[in-house]
Amino acid sequence: MALPACAARALGPPLQPEHGAPARTTCPRRHSRVEAELAASRPGSVSASVRAGPPRGVSHGFNSRQLLDEPLKASASLAGALRAPLFALLPRGRRRRMNDLRRRWDLGSLCRALLTRGLAALGHSLKHVLSAIFSKIFGPLASVGNMDEKSNKLLLALVMFFLFAVIVLQYVCPGTECQLLRLQAFSSPLPDPYRSEDESSARFVPRYNFSRGDLLRKVDFDINGDDLIVFLHIQKTGGTTFGRHLVRNIQLEQPCECRVGQKKCTCHRPGKRETWLFSRFSTGWSCGLHADWTELTSCVPAVVDGKRDARLRPSRNFHYITILRDPVSRYLSEWRHVQRGATWKASLHVCDGRPPTSEELPSCYTGDDWSGCPLKEFMDCPYNLANNRQVRMLSDLTLVGCYNLSVMPEKQRNKVLLESAKSNLKHMAFFGLTEFQRKTQYLFEKTFNMNFISPFTQYNTTRASSVEINEDIQKRIERLNFLDMELYSYAKDLFLQRYQFMRQKEHQEARRKRQEQRKFLKGRFLQTHFQSQSQSQSQNPSQNQSQNPNPNANQSLTQNLIQNLTQNSSQNLSQKENRSNQKQSPGHKQNDSSSGSSGTNDYIGSVEKWR
């Protein structure tokens, strides 16, 4: 369609493409941007084409000079110097919309706007909340005088500083590391520090049936007396760490004296020149390197009382303790230790008064040590003492002819050794497990009534855990240590049952103390009530007689109250005793019932005395 003559004159002559420029074959509106860019790239032709007439769609009466000279407000990141002439050619409304669009989608401006508005809204809401709180708190003081504006600003600043300090402290010392943030009075009860340490289920299902005497381990150990604690140290079970706890981390009236640079410590009884602990770090390897049960039971009494006359020797008790470990982990740890050059050649292996011969106990290596041996060679040696080491060191070897394998068949020998190790372990004063450090600490403290200074630490990453083995090798290690596997299963079951029994006993004692406190408070209440009543009667005898013509009514009422209280307490005690007796042995039932009846009689006697 042809343009009118006036429109053609207003637009002026059309722009001619320069030499080398593409020809315009389509709509002029669609190619206006291309022409402007070409004009901007060639300054000579830009002035002629731009100043030939006003922009497209603008009449001659429009002030195009003002449009071109107006400063651009576009963002520098989006509109460069080359696009400035093109932007100036747009109409004013379109330029305003493009500026608004740029400002709206500019990320920095958007974030600043959101942050500003959010802070403003937060401050506004905080102001209203604080004003409401202050009005509730300082409402009664409104009659004295309202707080001026400066005091309000100062109080608001203090509150904001306190909140900021709390946030900073949460980042600086998170968790339980910052003692300032552990408000125990307003927090929930702390979790049980003796929860499952091996990442297993917290609920334990026992496999073996043990009597109450097997579970209750309470040793009457008097450090001022003559009894002695003997530590049986099995290789690679964490015994070194536990031995250091005994000499360095235990609360004593006279602590052990440990000098720098010396492994042994002096652990004397208070006021005596006599030791109370027989272990590596107190007396050294007095019975040989890593002496077993057979060696210790025959050696310790002779070492401790050997220099005394038989008639002057005290009748002392020897309390044996030890630490066990998972057989596979212990076996791998011993292999790594042997790889580094350990031999334990100084071990005596004395049994029945003599050490074993070379035929009874052959060596697995020919050189000075077995350093650098691979795991397969370590497992292939049939005379390796690492196999079933825990059973061998805890059993009585005199029952099977010591190290002479020809005394009885192998199957019978293994059975006797396993039963002997289980019996000795069960009758020991205490034993712990490397995989349960906190429970080991708890049971030792409850058994010997001795407390440690700092808690034990559970190390789940060891040299044995760094060894990567496949399933076949693990099964072979379990077959080589099948007696230790059976002993450890038995020991773990007994250990966890003892722990549960001691915890339940502790909870029962705490419940009994709370009941005694409630009884005492009830008695105090009755005492104060009777005293106040007697004082009021002594002060106003005439008024009491007029109000109460029967003076024995108060006395009968008091007696009824006492009878009701005593009956209720006796019924509650009998019900609790019946529930507890269903879970305990018959011998324990009689003790509990007698204690419950004695507690009831004491309560009745105390009430009668106060009355």
Side-chain angles (χ1 to χ4, degrees), residues 545-559:
Q545 290 180 0
S546 61
Q547 292 180 357
N548 189 9
N550 188 5
N552 296 326
N554 292 330
Q555 185 175 2
S556 61
L557 180 61
T558 304
Q559 291 178 356

Side-chain angles (χ1 to χ4, degrees), residues 587-608:
H588 191 58
K589 291 180 182 178
Q590 297 177 0
N591 297 331
D592 290 346
S593 60
S594 61
S595 61
S597 60
S598 62
T600 308
N601 294 331
D602 295 340
Y603 174 68
I604 296 174
S606 60
V607 173
E608 291 292 338

Side-chain angles (χ1 to χ4, degrees), residues 71 92 95 120 286 319 333 382 426 450 478 522 553 595:
R92 184 185 298 272
R95 283 190 298 163
S286 301
H319 303 292
S333 181
K426 184 174 65 174
M450 303 170 71
E478 292 176 357
K522 287 180 182 179
S595 61

